[in-house]
Amino acid sequence: MSETRDYKPTLNLPKTSFPMKANLAQAEPATLARWQSADIAGAIATARKTATPFVFHDGPPYANGSIHVGHLLNKVLKDIVVRSVLMEGRGCHYVPGWDCHGLPIEHRVMTGLVESGKAAKLDTLSDDHRRMAIRRECAAYATKFIKSQSVQMQRLLTLADYANPYFTMQPQYEAGTLEVFAALLEQGFVFRQLKPVHWSIANQTALAEAELEYEDRVDPSIYVDFEAVDRAKVDAVFGVECACTASFMIWTTTPWTLPANLAIAVHPAQQYALVEMDGALTIVAAEMLDKVAKIAGAAAVRTLATARGSDLVGLEYHHPFCDRKSRIVAADYVTMEDGTGLVHTAPGHGDDDYRTGLREGLEIYCPVQGDGTFDGTVPEWLRGKLVWDANGLVVEYLRTSGHLVHELKFSHSYPHDWRSRTPVIFRATEQWFIGVDRPGNRGGQSLRAMAMDAVNNSIKFVPQWGHSRMKGMIENRPDWCISRQRAWGLPIPAFRMATDSVFMTAASVRAVAECVRTKGSDAWFTLSPAELLATYDASSDPDAPTDLAIDALTKMYDIFDVWFEAGSSWNSVLRQRAIGFPADLYLEGSDQHRGWFQLSMLPALGVTGTNPFRTLLTHGFLVDKDGKKMSKSAGNALDVDVILKDFGAEVARWWVSGVAYDGDIRIDLDYFKVAGESYRKVRNTLRFLLSNLYDAPPWTQEEATARATAATPESIDGWLMGELAALESEARAAYNEYDFRRVHLAIFNFCNETLSSVYCAAVKDRLYCDTADSPRRRQTQAVARVAMEVLCRLLAPFLPHTAEEAWMALRGSDAPLLFAQTHLDLAAIGGVTAVRDPRWSAVMTARSAVSKALEGAKSLGIDNPLDAAVTLPDPRGSLAPFEKELADLCGVSQVTLDAKATIVTVSDLRSQPRCDRSWRRDGTVRQRSDGGMLSDRDALSVGV
RNA sequence: GCGCCAGUAGCUCAGCUGGCUAGAGCACACCCCUGAUAAGGGUGAGGUCGAUGGUUCGAGUCCAUUCUGGCGCACCA
């Protein structure tokens, strides 16, 4: 045995500065800092200044707390859109936004004020001053979280105009919102109407759900008979003849609401019984009869007849103590759990009742005033009485008049004002609404009709099922109540006149908007009506009331529902900042069908007649690995900081890019491990390509592309160029359809299979062993270079940091900005190799057959494929054109084709000499002048 | 309770208008390589397609019912 010479120094072994280990947690912040100091966002904007803009609009997250994994998903998806659009050569001015007003912040601020004892001091201030004090705290709170969330979102490597974000509390934004409102007013969509709200008597204010605390409370629970008006009609319904008139028995735990009773609701599908109970004739649900009889302690109960609830509808009854007749109505919310199956309905005192009242055309009657006392419309013995005292009075009255069937004490949980800890009541108050069924003044169409038309005809939904979901919601939605009785928000600029009527016209709102544009909505609390209306001219306002006296006006204090503000962003951001309208895309979680999507549609359609977005993309919600929803209380919530620290933003982004975002998305730290491994696979593949380019000539991109596309179709390089072109068009098509998962899989598959498993393995020998500047090696380097050019661009939307890191390793530190590049478009560049050659499928099939055969040959002792030669059957000659490349492709030393063979045969080459340099036994190996055993090719390379 | 959606190998997902022994990647097992090396390659095992019933010559694929989970709405006088 001659000792083998060490030829390693003569090889062109790979070299690169692109490290195998990404070290993302440290490297990403550095990249981010570089982007910020170099103003990458500005540079990209400049590069795309004249390009066709893609109008993409950010839905504002709420400025509260730390970002969670839901934000991560949402913001990364959006960023993938932004960057993929840029890579297509379009411009995209993406402005991040925040929703600032509203109860969650005010609630937290108030809690803080109560705890610190400052709240009591506030109560001593005048209304305007007190509200301003609260608003200042709230604004500071919102500002703080906007800042921290902005930092967190940028840490996700997202690209947006973070220097000029929008907040719903910015004066210009507020003015834009008011202008939307003015236009809706002008179109006739806005009106004022009674609606029941939770009302705190102690604080004389409406409360939101979040301001309620539920505590146990004991109330009288009473069963009351309401006597039917027409005995004959009742008899007819039940098919009997009675000697006296029956009564409808209802149950309630709020006797004080009985004066406002305007209907009794029954379930249309339930059976109701006409019964004789201790001599009295009464009607209750058949199913509830035994229970009611038992509670009432009735001795003799006899059912005379039964009828369906729907048959009772329309029957009338006398109110037991108010002078009026009302009727039986149907409602499917009537249940058979408590009570009598007949539900006392007071549209002014309950939400269900209110809906029923609206549907039945009943008055929204509320005889209770803000201080909890009855007004003059009730019987004299109740007038001026507090509702809590009225409970006992009503019970006593009914007992005396013989309408009370039974009374007991009932303990239940009841809402209380969280601040005063006093029980609240449900009371109808005047609220502002946007009507969805009112015809607009411009085209006579209602908002609902316009929205349905947009949903059915002009919006593209991704995924498709968004269409039916949105449609269902538009069909069913009630009028939009846009007023709230809070301090932290944009005031609805209405005034009360001396006559007590309300003054607010499109022109007056615009005047206030002008004021707000410069001074902010605080102006409403700091200025007088005359100052607010400084630019208002009643004489040119066709809607101005004739008796208008500006000096006599007083400000009203309702604020807008925050959804109205967010729903005006298409105006306050897209139009005011001249970004473009309508937007090409809105992208949010599927909960926003009810929220931002719909509440942007309605104002925009009402004001402009145009839907604010062309395409609607929705993603599902994150759930844990068992499919359960995430919540802090369940302890299954993932911390974004932990993900960033353990895996880095790039791995998180890579995970997002591969997720099936329609429907629920399971998330778990383990999934990031998986994503991390696949990220590393992609990274290493890039690294291999880069490492073999260290000595490539300094081709321009065009030179490299020209050279790469010149590869012969029958070469491995030619094959790869076809695959590369196919990848590029497939990925771009999928990006354009927002099918990021398809892009992700295509790229991964290309790196893992096409490159790592096939191409890199096949081409290694020539890269390492051929003479450095041999045409064959340079050809491969050109292809590797183009593959890098393509991959960096395709990966940039998913992995901006890694793609740029690779890009700079490829192009050097003076490389042009990756994010200002556009795709190569190999298919358009043309050349025979820029398209997939179908003849290659036979080659690839043969290649896997060889793999299997080699596996079998291991039992013969042929462990190393380079110790083997294979004979491939080629009856049709389909492999012949590729003969030169087959050995490299299969990783063996020799391949011969045999037209007559039927199976792959492996022969043992271990008795033949092995090249000391390339380790191949290609039949040309012999001792050379330097004493080494070398093949012809290697001898040439070494120069011996 | 109502509307929308999902339920296919351990995991993430393909399976279009119903049609050969249900596919991929990861993980796993075994093996190779040691000149991509805290890398790379090969082979293989693994599924009663949530359940039940139906339509059909034939269903993961259509229909009905049901279970589980998610989002939104409603939630009781």
Side-chain angles (χ1 to χ4, degrees), chain A residues 509-836:
Chain A
V509 172
R510 289 190 177 116
V512 175
E514 259 189 75
C515 179
V516 164
R517 186 176 292 282
T518 53
K519 300 191 171 74
S521 63
D522 284 347
W524 188 260
F525 303 92
T526 56
L527 300 184
S528 68
E531 291 167 315
L532 287 163
L533 291 171
T535 60
Y536 175 72
D537 174 19
S539 63
S540 65
D541 180 5
D543 301 320
T546 48
D547 54 347
L548 180 64
I550 290 194
D551 290 338
L553 294 175
T554 55
K555 293 177 283 187
M556 295 174 72
Y557 287 102
D558 283 356
I559 60 163
F560 281 98
D561 174 11
V562 289
W563 284 115
F564 187 82
E565 299 179 71
S568 298
S569 63
W570 53 270
N571 185 53
S572 288
V573 180
L574 294 184
R575 294 213 303 189
Q576 286 196 162
R577 297 196 186 192
I579 290 169
F581 177 85
D584 289 298
L585 180 71
Y586 273 31
L587 184 166
E588 305 295 337
S590 62
D591 55 336
Q592 300 302 333
H593 283 104
R594 171 68 64 182
W596 191 56
F597 295 152
Q598 196 187 136
L599 302 176
S600 294
M601 286 176 73
L602 298 177
L605 286 167
V607 174
T608 70
T610 302
N611 197 62
F613 44 84
R614 294 199 176 96
T615 297
L616 193 58
L617 177 59
T618 51
H619 57 78
F621 269 68
L622 294 175
V623 295
D624 71 10
K625 67 190 309 182
D626 300 317
K628 303 273 195 261
K629 75 163 160 199
M630 315 210 84
S631 66
K632 316 107 246 165
S633 50
N636 59 355
L638 287 182
D639 191 334
V640 174
D641 290 338
V642 170
I643 294 170
L644 292 178
K645 189 161 71 60
D646 292 358
F647 300 97
E650 295 272 279
V651 170
R653 294 177 62 108
W654 184 240
W655 171 78
V656 168
S657 72
V659 116
Y661 63 69
D662 48 329
D664 309 338
I665 301 150
R666 291 173 194 245
I667 182 172
D668 190 81
L669 282 183
D670 281 347
Y671 298 172
F672 289 99
K673 277 186 201 150
V674 173
E677 309 233 335
S678 104
Y679 166 84
R680 241 170 283 142
K681 180 77 197 201
V682 171
R683 185 179 177 90
N684 271 323
T685 307
L686 297 179
R687 180 165 183 267
F688 179 85
L689 296 178
L690 280 170
S691 67
N692 283 292
L693 289 169
Y694 67 93
D695 68 335
W699 296 307
T700 63
Q701 177 194 299
E702 289 73 20
E703 286 164 355
T705 309
R707 193 155 182 153
T709 51
T712 63
E714 295 80 16
S715 66
I716 296 172
D717 287 335
W719 169 76
L720 190 79
M721 288 304 292
E723 294 296 315
L724 192 61
L727 170 73
E728 194 193 40
S729 34
E730 158 76 2
R732 286 175 66 191
Y735 266 129
N736 289 332
E737 289 163 30
Y738 311 112
D739 193 350
F740 308 135
R741 178 180 166 75
R742 213 168 94 218
V743 180
H744 176 105
L745 293 175
I747 293 177
F748 178 76
N749 203 45
F750 185 82
C751 289
N752 189 34
E753 195 65 28
T754 309
L755 283 175
S756 186
S757 173
V758 181
Y759 182 76
C760 297
V763 112
K764 240 184 203 180
D765 173 76
R766 63 191 62 171
L767 285 170
Y768 295 177
C769 304
D770 278 6
T771 309
D773 61 353
S774 73
R776 188 169 77 154
R777 182 164 180 269
R778 291 293 187 227
Q779 171 71 273
T780 294
Q781 285 182 311
V783 169
R785 162 74 187 279
V786 172
M788 282 302 296
E789 296 269 349
V790 170
L791 284 171
C792 285
R793 289 166 169 85
L794 291 180
L795 283 168
F798 293 166
L799 305 174
H801 161 78
T802 304
E804 199 185 44
E805 185 189 4
W807 174 253
M808 299 203 304
L810 181 71
R811 292 288 204 94
S813 49
D814 56 344
L817 185 58
L818 173 61
F819 307 108
Q821 304 298 306
T822 58
H823 293 293
L824 256 44
D825 204 357
L826 289 176
I829 288 171
V832 276
T833 56
V835 77
R836 259 197 182 119

Side-chain angles (χ1 to χ4, degrees), chain A residues 148-166:
Chain A
S148 66
Q149 288 193 0
S150 175
V151 168
Q152 294 175 311
M153 288 166 185
Q154 291 180 68
R155 178 62 187 83
L156 298 175
L157 306 177
T158 56
L159 176 70
D161 194 355
Y162 283 106
N164 305 289
Y166 77 86

Side-chain angles (χ1 to χ4, degrees), chain A residues 280-450:
Chain A
L281 213 49
T282 190
I283 297 165
V284 298
E287 203 179 315
M288 301 305 294
L289 178 56
D290 289 348
K291 215 167 161 182
V292 170
K294 201 171 153 208
I295 289 171
V301 179
R302 192 161 64 95
T303 301
L304 303 177
T306 61
R308 276 170 61 91
S310 53
D311 297 326
L312 299 179
V313 172
L315 292 176
E316 290 184 304
Y317 63 88
H318 289 291
H319 193 283
F321 53 79
C322 297
D323 183 22
R324 63 172 173 262
K325 289 185 268 188
S326 302
R327 62 177 199 276
I328 307 293
V329 298
D332 8 313
Y333 55 79
V334 175
T335 64
M336 297 298 142
E337 279 156 35
D338 292 303
T340 63
L342 290 104
V343 175
H344 152 57
T345 299
H349 291 300
D351 215 46
D352 274 337
D353 308 44
Y354 170 72
R355 273 173 232 285
T356 302
L358 286 184
R359 195 190 66 222
E360 298 291 332
L362 304 175
E363 183 190 350
I364 308 303
Y365 172 52
C366 175
V368 177
Q369 305 169 100
D371 63 356
T373 62
F374 282 101
D375 65 16
T377 63
V378 297
E380 190 159 358
W381 50 274
L382 278 175
R383 282 180 204 159
K385 295 286 194 293
L386 190 65
V387 291
W388 307 122
D389 302 329
N391 268 347
L393 294 170
V394 167
V395 172
E396 276 323 302
Y397 186 96
L398 292 171
R399 195 191 308 281
T400 312
S401 69
H403 292 93
L404 186 71
V405 180
H406 190 70
E407 182 204 2
L408 52 128
K409 293 292 167 209
F410 187 77
S411 175
H412 58 157
S413 103
Y414 192 86
H416 288 65
D417 175 352
W418 71 289
R419 279 188 68 196
S420 65
R421 303 200 146 244
T422 55
V424 306
I425 60 173
F426 226 48
R427 171 176 176 267
T429 56
E430 293 224 301
Q431 303 292 337
W432 291 101
F433 289 84
I434 290 175
V436 290
D437 291 311
R438 308 193 155 210
N441 293 337
R442 186 182 340 99
Q445 268 202 305
S446 70
L447 291 177
R448 199 194 303 279
M450 286 190 272

Side-chain angles (χ1 to χ4, degrees), chain A residues 87 113 443 828 913:
Chain A
M87 295 312 292
L113 292 174

